Amino acid sequence: MKDPIWLLNYLLSLSEWESFVEFKTNFDKERDGKNISALANTAVLKGQDFGYIIYGVEDTTKNIIWTSFDPNSKKVWNQALKIWIAQKLSPKVSIEFY
């Protein structure tokens, strides 16, 4: 895995409109479920191994504002977030939170 600081700086240099990255201030299960699928498709089309959602960053300014979102404690319908997302996607994709 690439250095996380280098990766964040690289992703911040990209435009959402042309890339495989989304910037969000916080988690939203409906919006982000759709975004994960779209990002996976865009990453493939762009020849990338991954698509990214970066939480705690304003999408228009790319200002880092931080977030209270904790993917390890988040549950949807009383189910761990990562499991809930994985069950909703077809074809299956790998999901990681860092």
Side-chain angles (χ1 to χ4, degrees):
M1 181 178 150
K2 294 179 178 162
D3 171 54
I5 300 299
W6 178 91
L7 181 59
L8 178 60
N9 285 324
Y10 169 68
L11 294 172
L12 286 169
S13 76
L14 300 175
S15 163
E16 279 189 337
W17 300 106
E18 306 173 284
S19 67
F20 43 92
V21 63
E22 287 280 332
F23 302 106
K24 301 296 176 202
T25 55
N26 216 334
F27 175 77
D28 177 276
K29 70 177 180 181
E30 297 301 323
R31 177 200 65 211
D32 293 347
K34 293 173 185 174
N35 281 345
I36 289 168
S37 179
L39 284 169
N41 291 334
T42 302
V44 169
L45 292 173
K46 298 284 185 176
Q48 300 296 315
D49 293 330
F50 305 100
Y52 300 89
I53 300 177
I54 309 296
Y55 294 101
V57 175
E58 293 178 325
D59 63 346
T60 54
T61 64
K62 296 187 185 173
N63 288 334
I64 297 173
I65 59 168
W66 307 105
T67 181
S68 61
F69 172 56
D70 177 6
N72 296 317
S73 65
K74 179 73 175 166
K75 293 188 183 267
V76 179
W77 301 109
N78 210 25
Q79 196 169 38
L81 176 64
K82 189 173 174 179
I83 293 169
W84 180 82
I85 291 172
Q87 290 176 341
K88 301 293 181 189
L89 296 176
S90 179
K92 301 294 181 204
V93 297
S94 176
I95 301 167
E96 297 298 329
F97 292 100
Y98 298 99

